[in-house]
Amino acid sequence: MTAFKAGMQAKLKDHMSLVNCFLADEALSCFNSPEYTVFPGFCDVHVHFREPGFSYKETIKTGSQAAAAGGYTDVCTMPNLDPVPDCMQNLKIQLDAIVRDAAVGVYPYGAITVGEKGERLADLEGMAEHVIAFSDDGRGVQDIGMMREAMQRAKALGKMIVAHCEVNELLQGGYIHDGEYARAHGHRGICSESEWRQIERDLMLADEVGCEYHVCHISTKESVELIRAAKADGVRVTCETGPHYLILTDANLQENGRFKMNPPLRSEADRVALVEGVVDGAIDMIATDHAPHSEEEKSCGLEKSAFGIVGLETALPLMNTHLVKQGIITLDRLVDLMVYTPRERFGIPLADSFSVWKLDEEITVDPDKFMSKGRATPFEGDRLFGKCYATVRNGKIVFKA
């Protein structure tokens, strides 16, 4: 058990005493019974709230409301915005929106490169005090020298590099996994090597530089193996995967944009390896990569729809249904993946935050009921177990069913 987790658990008794006080309050007293399960506030280190620049897809307000509805009390927002937060002037636009509209804790990333174009480094020093870490999410940093310098500067600042890993020259116009479904239906595929090859490079650099390094949304068996081996060798690396990669494969694809995300749904062998990584700790945390788009952008089939699905409001029910109730992991392990480990790694405090659930209540995934502006989910119509009834952050009710 890490010192962070031990400290958190040592405080959990006091935390639960405070929770019980809230549940005794008139506003929440109806939830003070054994049929409800109380979780410490979930933490998602990978979401897209689209503001500024793309508020028609999502806003700080709607995204944070969706987070609260899913039991999340803290999230980290990715920098593929307009303007890109690559300097304080641009970052301040997002910071002001967070102060004005956020229902939960929102911690922004700063970009690694100017405009996320990979041509020159962003003002890492100027932004460091105000961002959770640095990432060019949505794009892999292609130049090895630039990534090395980014890691060196991030290390000096006490900040982490968080990487979307993708080798552009290996993409070849692909948009789903380069597997059986792509070949059978005439689609262009994205090979697994486009992901794991850049992870391999970055692990070498992280070892060389000694920086803190985190890999976004891994999807391949090779990625799991590389990260597991790097951890054994002492590289300061963590990683995340998303609920959809643990449940679905390219065999589940339909000719519908709600099945299109980047990285794509991979093979059954990849899914099994990801589950094994969750079980044995090679994978450190669950992150949704909540990525809303407009209905128009997601209604163009697999080839032409935008990459991305929403996930904040379905993550706990999905993991409860497909992992906990199937006996693959315990509920305690799920709490590690969704609460303790992301908070420890990113330095995000728990404070007086929790959510209240009925874990045995069956729900049907209905995107029309989402708080998010996004509606695209491959789990539409699925019957899952787990309903959130209330979320409290820092003593304030931020969601109540």
Side-chain angles (χ1 to χ4, degrees):
M1 181 186 298
T2 65
F4 180 92
K5 183 181 174 186
M8 271 198 157
Q9 291 194 333
K11 296 176 182 177
L12 196 54
K13 184 176 180 180
D14 291 338
H15 179 69
M16 290 309 299
S17 296
L18 183 64
V19 168
N20 289 334
C21 289
F22 281 115
L23 294 181
D25 183 84
E26 182 178 354
L28 295 175
S29 60
C30 57
F31 305 132
N32 195 7
S33 71
E35 62 185 316
Y36 295 98
T37 299
V38 177
F39 289 102
F42 301 143
C43 179
D44 192 337
V45 303
H46 191 146
V47 303
H48 300 264
F49 283 177
R50 306 301 193 194
E51 185 181 6
F54 307 97
S55 294
Y56 69 94
K57 302 172 188 272
E58 190 80 289
T59 63
I60 297 293
K61 182 176 182 179
T62 60
S64 62
Q65 288 173 337
Y72 288 92
T73 58
D74 296 281
V75 298
C76 303
T77 51
M78 287 299 179
N80 45 349
L81 303 168
D82 185 14
V84 171
D86 52 18
C87 62
M88 270 308 301
Q89 180 180 352
N90 292 349
L91 177 64
K92 189 177 185 301
I93 301 170
Q94 186 182 180
L95 293 174
D96 289 346
I98 291 168
V99 170
R100 183 181 66 243
D101 292 332
V104 301
V106 176
Y107 299 81
Y109 284 92
I112 295 174
T113 66
V114 174
E116 289 195 320
K117 294 180 179 179
E119 297 170 353
R120 56 192 176 95
L121 290 179
D123 183 12
L124 308 188
E125 289 77 10
M127 296 185 291
E129 183 181 347
H130 304 278
V131 297
I132 196 68
F134 298 110
S135 179
D136 267 9
D137 185 62
R139 303 180 184 184
V141 176
Q142 302 302 301
D143 184 83
I144 187 171
M146 186 164 296
M147 182 56 102
R148 179 184 285 109
E149 185 181 351
M151 288 185 174
Q152 290 169 339
R153 286 169 60 178
K155 180 184 178 183
L157 293 165
K159 289 293 181 178
M160 184 158 47
I161 291 292
V162 176
H164 172 116
C165 289
E166 198 167 48
V167 179
N168 287 351
E169 66 182 17
L170 295 177
L171 296 179
Q172 298 180 344
Y175 45 88
I176 63 172
H177 176 57
D178 185 17
E180 293 182 9
Y181 189 94
R183 289 188 286 274
H185 295 81
H187 291 297
R188 293 188 299 278
I190 300 174
C191 67
S192 296
E193 187 178 1
S194 65
E195 174 179 302
W196 65 257
R197 182 64 71 186
Q198 194 164 94
I199 292 175
E200 183 178 55
R201 180 205 72 179
D202 283 0
L203 290 171
M204 177 194 69
L205 291 175
D207 188 29
E208 171 191 319
V209 174
C211 79
E212 302 291 342
Y213 176 64
H214 178 82
V215 190
C216 295
H217 48 45
I218 68 169
S219 68
T220 76
K221 60 183 185 296
E222 293 89 352
S223 300
V224 179
E225 293 164 0
L226 284 166
I227 292 167
R228 182 184 286 117
K231 287 183 174 186
D233 289 341
V235 179
R236 304 177 70 86
V237 59
T238 52
C239 69
E240 67 194 50
T241 195
H244 39 291
Y245 303 119
L246 297 168
I247 298 169
L248 303 174
T249 71
D250 63 342
N252 299 111
L253 287 173
Q254 298 177 22
E255 295 295 312
N256 188 302
R258 65 189 178 94
F259 288 87
K260 184 179 181 181
M261 69 287 292
N262 188 24
L265 297 174
R266 302 286 188 183
S267 71
E268 174 65 7
D270 293 306
R271 189 195 68 80
V272 169
L274 292 167
V275 171
E276 290 174 351
V278 163
V279 171
D280 69 18
I283 294 174
D284 302 273
M285 60 196 79
I286 301 295
T288 65
D289 192 8
H290 176 85
H293 294 285
S294 69
E295 182 178 358
E296 181 180 3
E297 289 169 322
K298 293 297 290 182
S299 62
C300 306
L302 287 176
E303 180 179 0
K304 296 184 179 180
S305 289
F307 286 108
I309 61 172
V310 295
L312 284 166
E313 296 172 74
T314 55
L316 188 281
L318 285 167
M319 296 294 87
N320 181 47
T321 301
H322 291 279
L323 294 186
V324 176
K325 285 189 174 292
Q326 297 300 315
I328 296 170
I329 62 172
T330 65
L331 200 58
D332 283 348
R333 174 61 179 150
L334 185 58
V335 172
D336 278 344
L337 291 160
M338 295 182 67
V339 179
Y340 292 123
T341 308
R343 291 183 182 279
E344 175 182 15
R345 182 58 162 155
F346 284 77
I348 299 172
L350 176 60
D352 305 326
S353 302
F354 62 92
S355 58
V356 182
W357 294 75
K358 275 189 179 179
L359 292 180
D360 291 326
E361 181 167 341
E362 190 175 65
I363 64 167
T364 300
V365 178
D366 182 356
D368 289 335
K369 295 180 180 179
F370 287 167
M371 302 294 286
S372 171
K373 287 187 177 184
R375 296 290 183 265
T377 169
F379 302 106
E380 181 177 349
D382 284 12
R383 301 187 71 82
L384 306 173
F385 289 96
K387 180 175 179 179
C388 186
Y389 276 85
T391 302
V392 172
R393 184 179 191 273
N394 288 347
K396 179 182 178 182
I397 299 171
V398 291
F399 170 77
K400 187 177 178 183

